[in-house]
Amino acid sequence: MSRIWTTRRDEKARRIKSIAHLTQNAILNKENIIEAMEALIQPGDRVVLEGDNQKQASFLSESLLQVNASKVNNLHMIMSSVSRPEHLDIFEKGIAKKIDFSFSGPQSLRVSQMIEDGTLEIGEIHTYLELYGRLFIDLIPNVALVAADKADRFGNLYTGPNTEETPAIVEATAFKDGIVIVQVNEIVDELPRIDIPASWVDFVVEADQPYQLEALFTRDPKLISELHILIGMMTIRGVYEKHQVKSLNHGIGFNTAAIELLLPTYAESLGLKGKIAKNWVLNPHPTLIPAIESGWVDTVHCFGGEVGMEAYCAARPDVFFTGKDGSLRSNRAFAQVAGQYAIDMFVGSTLQMDMRANSSTVVSGRLAGFGGAPNMGHDPKGRRHSSEAWLDLITSDDPLSKGRKLVVQTVETFQNGNTPVFVESLDAIEVAKQAHLATAPVMIYGDDVTHVVTEEGVAYIYKAEGEEERKQALSAVAGVTSVGSKADAAVISSLRERGIVAYPEDLGIHRNQANRSLLAAKNVRDLVEWSDGLYNPPAKFKNW
């Protein structure tokens, strides 16, 4: 008997035909979305739901929650970010059973509790790029639920500034005979540009309100402390200047926001303009506006957009990647690739770090995941192009030696609530046991970390000889934590002499220099003024 080679295609055609009475070409009325989902999604399907850490297919996720669990159940959900309540409500209702994800910041406490209760089954916790890759290998979706700004009546999509992960999700589904359902803010006669062609899309539904978009990368300068500024100054002087870093990524947080606002002031005073921090892979951080306006930044390629930065990005096409329509073009998958292979440095932070510099944002009672940090926060062994910064980390005379990406962790020794960042053992080890994970969810492995910067100083752990010396270098900057208490004064003195540890005074920095007068913008209003009024911050950041 001959094999049938079109089973997925035939099944897709059957499902689509079953809702022919509900659709007009590619257009599906929002009043019919639940009935359509109950026919298009089958028990046990793999369903990828767009929900990265900014853009959420919120109408579709709310609709999925309303399907009849006797018709749609035991779904295997694939989500970049578990961000909304209904993302977990569907598990409590039995609509979904298993999840593979990357990040769950807003829902991290609930995820942890649901695992403990046995309501949620985790496949794996991924990096973003890893999750996108598996969509094409062993997590191929049966159904994709995504969001776009606009569609025309044929089903062509305009994703606008917030393209993000949409193309990767849609392509993995459409070209393996899965069903692609897209919520859009509006259906129009003509699009500003076509970001995804209609031939990749099965159904478009105009939502009752725009998709949710979080201002995830906005940091109010008024909340930047003198401690953040001190860490920023040491990072600029002890890392950026020392290694002449030109291409980089900044993670989320006030430490990196402080660095961005110190470039036009403190770094300018060091004569570093044009020598460092020129090419970025970065969401359009509002705190980068002063550096852009003062000529520090040459290019920025974005993972996604940022609420309120649309007009500013459109007005700065020399810096940002924009389309003929003028709006930003972001792409989370390509930006992750660039962050992995094309940049010289990743600067991030963490909630816990052990004595070997392993770090994680998965802590006891809070299973947050880690998003894209592991993609950018490691030394890619496949890199072959060189740069000044990359070559500067060679520590061997071997003629086959190669450079290293700078992986920098900037942390305060204690979090809010007097919780130490430096610990003897990561909570992630115990969390792995509770969640039945095969390996502990480590965000960045210690052997990839090259620098650790705290308010105490800089540890150049890539220069340390052996594991014991790495531990000593970390202890030297771990403050009064249990890890820091292991530091020996004589050992620290030797490490400083050899350039493995540097305290502020070793870098020509006086602690009393670190004050808010150095910030190029002191509040959000200053950022608006720097942008010539182009930046339109969300209402919660306006206090004038």
Side-chain angles (χ1 to χ4, degrees):
M1 185 175 178
S2 62
R3 177 177 172 180
I4 298 172
W5 294 95
T6 57
T7 55
R8 287 181 65 97
R9 187 169 300 172
D10 295 343
E11 173 61 12
K12 175 177 178 176
R14 184 196 68 77
R15 296 189 194 187
I16 288 177
K17 185 178 179 180
S18 73
I19 66 161
H21 62 291
L22 302 177
T23 63
Q24 184 176 1
N25 297 322
I27 308 302
L28 176 63
N29 291 331
K30 59 178 175 286
E31 293 80 10
N32 298 323
I33 185 62
I34 296 170
E35 183 181 351
M37 281 184 162
E38 289 176 347
L40 295 172
I41 305 173
Q42 300 292 297
D45 272 354
R46 280 194 293 262
V47 177
V48 57
L49 172 62
E50 182 162 27
D52 54 52
N53 50 23
Q54 290 177 279
K55 185 172 78 167
Q56 304 290 324
S58 44
F59 171 76
L60 292 176
S61 62
E62 289 170 351
S63 300
L64 183 61
L65 180 62
Q66 297 177 59
V67 301
N68 187 330
S70 67
K71 296 179 180 179
V72 180
N73 51 65
N74 291 312
L75 299 180
H76 181 173
M77 301 301 299
I78 305 164
M79 284 187 271
S80 290
S81 177
V82 183
S83 301
R84 294 171 56 84
E86 68 269 16
H87 289 172
L88 295 176
D89 292 344
I90 59 175
F91 290 89
E92 293 184 338
K93 287 187 65 175
I95 295 168
K97 179 182 180 181
K98 183 177 181 179
I99 187 169
D100 281 276
F101 73 103
S102 296
F103 180 67
S104 66
Q107 301 294 328
S108 57
L109 297 177
R110 191 176 170 198
V111 167
S112 182
Q113 186 61 52
M114 288 177 70
I115 291 170
E116 187 175 329
D117 295 342
T119 312
L120 183 78
E121 179 185 337
I122 290 182
E124 296 287 353
I125 306 172
H126 305 71
T127 75
Y128 286 132
L129 200 56
E130 181 179 25
L131 188 64
Y132 302 150
R134 288 191 69 192
L135 293 179
F136 294 88
I137 304 298
D138 60 340
L139 289 180
I140 298 169
N142 300 101
V143 179
L145 306 174
V146 301
D149 277 21
K150 297 177 176 64
D152 64 19
R153 302 190 185 282
F154 302 100
N156 296 299
L157 303 181
Y158 169 71
T159 49
N162 304 294
T163 300
E164 307 209 8
E165 64 187 16
T166 315
I169 292 174
V170 172
E171 184 163 341
T173 309
F175 288 88
K176 207 69 179 70
D177 296 311
I179 295 171
V180 176
I181 306 172
V182 187
Q183 72 167 78
V184 296
N185 297 340
E186 59 179 330
I187 296 173
V188 298
D189 291 327
E190 186 174 351
L191 297 175
R193 69 174 188 246
I194 294 176
D195 289 315
I196 295 176
S199 59
W200 296 18
V201 175
D202 296 301
F203 300 107
V204 170
V205 56
E206 188 174 80
D208 51 8
Q209 59 185 349
Y211 57 73
Q212 180 191 354
L213 187 65
E214 289 298 311
L216 187 71
F217 294 89
T218 299
R219 293 292 178 270
D220 191 336
K222 75 178 182 182
L223 300 178
I224 294 175
S225 70
E226 292 184 350
L227 207 61
H228 298 136
I229 294 167
L230 176 61
I231 291 172
M233 292 171 70
M234 286 193 288
T235 308
I236 289 172
R237 195 78 206 260
V239 183
Y240 292 44
E241 180 183 19
K242 176 180 174 60
H243 302 292
Q244 296 291 290
V245 177
K246 295 180 175 62
S247 61
L248 68 159
N249 166 263
H250 273 180
I252 304 172
F254 286 103
N255 287 333
T256 48
I259 293 170
E260 291 158 17
L261 291 171
L262 288 170
L263 291 176
T265 57
Y266 176 66
E268 185 91 29
S269 73
L270 298 175
L272 296 177
K273 186 175 178 180
K275 299 178 181 178
I276 65 168
K278 296 173 63 174
N279 305 107
W280 301 68
V281 55
L282 190 76
N283 276 62
H285 288 193
T287 46
L288 197 62
I289 291 173
I292 293 171
E293 293 300 302
S294 53
W296 274 78
V297 178
D298 285 354
T299 62
V300 180
H301 188 264
C302 299
F303 301 82
E306 183 69 0
V307 179
M309 287 289 284
E310 296 85 359
Y312 181 76
C313 293
R316 301 291 184 268
D318 278 355
V319 173
F320 295 97
F321 286 67
T322 57
K324 288 184 177 180
D325 67 308
S327 72
L328 179 73
R329 169 69 177 191
S330 61
N331 189 302
R332 189 167 294 275
F334 287 164
Q336 290 287 343
V337 171
Q340 187 168 4
Y341 278 100
I343 60 171
D344 290 329
M345 179 171 70
F346 164 75
V347 184
S349 193
T350 189
L351 296 179
Q352 281 192 341
M353 179 178 291
D354 68 15
M355 292 190 67
R356 297 166 63 188
N358 298 304
S359 66
S360 187
T361 50
V362 173
V363 296
S364 180
R366 179 179 172 185
L367 208 158
F370 22 68
N375 293 141
M376 290 167 284
H378 84 286
D379 179 40
K381 306 303 182 185
R383 174 169 167 165
R384 292 296 181 268
H385 76 282
S386 61
S387 65
E388 184 176 0
W390 187 76
L391 293 170
D392 200 43
L393 264 65
I394 293 176
T395 56
S396 168
D397 293 331
D398 188 328
L400 293 180
S401 293
K402 60 185 181 63
R404 286 185 65 177
K405 179 196 281 185
L406 284 77
V407 177
V408 183
Q409 294 279 52
T410 61
V411 296
E412 297 150 73
T413 53
F414 285 87
Q415 305 171 43
N416 292 335
N418 210 32
T419 303
V421 169
F422 292 92
V423 295
E424 303 286 341
S425 177
L426 296 179
D427 288 357
I429 295 172
E430 189 59 34
V431 170
K433 296 176 184 176
Q434 295 171 356
H436 307 293
L437 298 174
T439 59
V442 174
M443 181 175 69
I444 297 177
Y445 287 99
D447 55 7
D448 279 316
V449 178
T450 59
H451 303 70
V452 176
V453 188
T454 74
E455 71 273 19
E456 300 294 329
V458 183
Y460 298 91
I461 59 177
Y462 76 95
K463 298 172 70 173
E465 297 178 3
E467 186 170 310
E468 184 58 34
E469 193 164 85
R470 284 169 62 88
K471 291 179 180 179
Q472 292 169 345
L474 276 178
S475 296
V477 298
V480 294
T481 63
S482 62
V483 172
S485 67
K486 301 180 184 300
D488 178 270
V491 171
I492 291 175
S493 178
S494 172
L495 293 174
R496 290 173 69 183
E497 288 178 9
R498 294 164 54 207
I500 297 173
V501 169
Y503 286 161
E505 53 269 32
D506 302 325
L507 300 170
I509 297 170
H510 297 286
R511 291 181 182 270
N512 60 9
Q513 285 181 288
N515 61 74
R516 286 180 48 80
S517 65
L518 284 177
L519 297 177
K522 312 296 190 298
N523 49 51
V524 173
R525 186 171 185 172
D526 287 351
L527 296 175
V528 175
E529 292 177 359
W530 268 100
S531 76
D532 290 331
L534 291 168
Y535 173 43
N536 180 28
K540 67 180 180 180
F541 291 101
K542 293 180 180 178
N543 57 2
W544 64 92

